[in-house]
Amino acid sequence: MELFLAFIPTLLVVFIVLTGVFIYILYVKKQLETENKFTEKYSRLQKIYYERTLAEDESVRQFRRDITKHINKMNELCVEDRVEELKGYIKKLGGQYEEDTVRICTGNLVADYFIHHVVKKLEDIGGTKYEVIGKFPPETMISNSDLSVLLGNALENAEEALREMESGRSLEIVIKNFQNHIFLSIANSIPDKKEINLQTTKSDSVNHGYGIKNMTEVVAKYSGDIKFCQEDNKFMVEIEI
């Protein structure tokens, strides 16, 4: 009995250590699952973006190959004073090559994919003004997966808020960099008198809570700062890394 009692403190220490290891394993597993989810999302968006870019480039190349034919046709209509036909031809030609006008160029492919994705979805519902100001530096300390977590969550939340509005939708993304620091601001309009609750703005409040938590953890990983604030009819996420 005395020997058993002597081992109790040791057993308690072992139990505490094993419990700590178990909790750490669960935490790492959760982080890996989150990173994998956004890596998969990033890969899908990258594939879509490249396919769209290739299609656009092919259209441009085709237009360049046909440009002589179009110029000759318009010149013929001008010489023969067939003004109405010329107007119709130009209108048809313009509509034929006016496809995707969204051009996102932030200097970072990950950011381009996520911003382009949400902007196109907002354009589909119409009536949304957007502006992307600034660029990322050529090299950043933040990894692609971590940047995916930040932008994926922030832009998804912004899109959801904008979809609730019938008019006056606006999205502004500002990117600044100074001495290896990145300042990222994402601001979107919100419905009048709507109070944002970061824990319950989604129907799936559990996963949304994890989204905010993951963003906070990513920023903390780089000893940065993240702020969520609401002013008038605008909600803003401000990140410094």
Side-chain angles (χ1 to χ4, degrees):
M1 180 61 69
E2 292 179 356
L3 185 61
F4 175 74
L5 292 175
F7 274 104
I8 288 180
T10 302
L11 292 174
L12 287 174
V13 171
V14 172
F15 175 77
I16 292 173
V17 170
L18 291 177
T19 302
V21 171
F22 178 72
I23 293 174
Y24 176 75
I25 290 174
L26 290 179
Y27 170 78
V28 171
K29 180 182 178 183
K30 179 63 181 177
Q31 291 295 104
L32 290 175
E33 289 176 351
T34 300
E35 289 192 7
N36 287 337
K37 180 181 69 174
F38 280 98
T39 298
E40 291 174 1
K41 186 174 183 179
Y42 160 68
S43 298
R44 289 197 304 271
L45 291 176
Q46 184 182 33
K47 181 175 182 293
I48 293 171
Y49 186 86
Y50 275 134
E51 289 175 348
R52 184 184 294 115
T53 301
L54 288 173
E56 292 173 359
D57 288 346
E58 178 57 32
S59 296
V60 172
R61 285 193 293 269
Q62 182 63 43
F63 179 80
R64 288 173 177 171
R65 287 193 292 267
D66 295 343
I67 192 65
T68 302
K69 179 186 71 175
H70 294 313
I71 291 175
N72 289 337
K73 178 64 177 179
M74 288 186 287
N75 184 59
E76 176 186 337
L77 295 174
C78 285
V79 170
E80 297 178 5
D81 200 24
R82 294 153 61 184
V83 178
E84 293 303 318
E85 288 185 49
L86 176 61
K87 289 180 180 179
Y89 187 84
I90 293 174
K91 182 178 181 180
K92 179 181 178 181
L93 191 62
Q96 180 179 355
Y97 293 98
E98 185 181 357
E99 296 179 351
D100 188 356
T101 58
V102 177
R103 294 289 181 179
I104 305 297
C105 184
T106 66
N108 184 287
L109 290 178
V110 173
D112 290 350
Y113 301 145
F114 278 94
I115 297 173
H116 187 280
H117 181 68
V118 74
V119 165
K120 283 301 297 176
K121 291 174 71 175
L122 291 172
E123 280 199 342
D124 291 340
I125 62 177
T128 303
K129 296 180 180 179
Y130 76 92
E131 187 173 17
V132 181
I133 303 171
K135 292 180 179 293
F136 286 92
E139 295 183 3
T140 62
M141 67 174 71
I142 186 170
S143 68
N144 286 343
S145 59
D146 286 340
L147 185 58
S148 297
V149 171
L150 294 178
L151 287 174
N153 280 291
L155 290 173
E156 187 176 355
N157 295 337
E159 179 195 345
E160 181 177 295
L162 292 171
R163 284 184 177 276
E164 294 181 10
M165 303 181 64
E166 295 183 358
S167 62
R169 303 185 190 93
S170 66
L171 174 65
E172 182 184 80
I173 301 170
V174 179
I175 307 160
K176 299 179 181 179
N177 58 88
F178 177 73
Q179 294 184 349
N180 296 325
H181 287 273
I182 296 175
F183 303 88
L184 178 63
S185 172
I186 300 174
N188 61 272
S189 53
I190 56 177
D192 292 343
K193 299 179 181 180
K194 180 180 178 65
E195 291 295 329
I196 301 295
N197 185 330
L198 294 178
Q199 299 301 322
T200 58
T201 58
K202 290 183 180 291
S203 56
D204 186 357
S205 60
V206 175
N207 287 333
H208 180 58
Y210 274 121
I212 298 299
K213 178 175 178 289
N214 289 333
M215 291 175 68
T216 303
E217 289 179 350
V218 165
V219 172
K221 177 179 175 181
Y222 296 91
S223 301
D225 186 40
I226 183 169
K227 296 178 181 177
F228 303 91
C229 52
Q230 180 178 344
E231 295 181 4
D232 298 327
N233 296 328
K234 183 181 291 186
F235 182 77
M236 292 176 287
V237 180
E238 298 179 341
I239 300 170
E240 177 184 350
I241 293 178

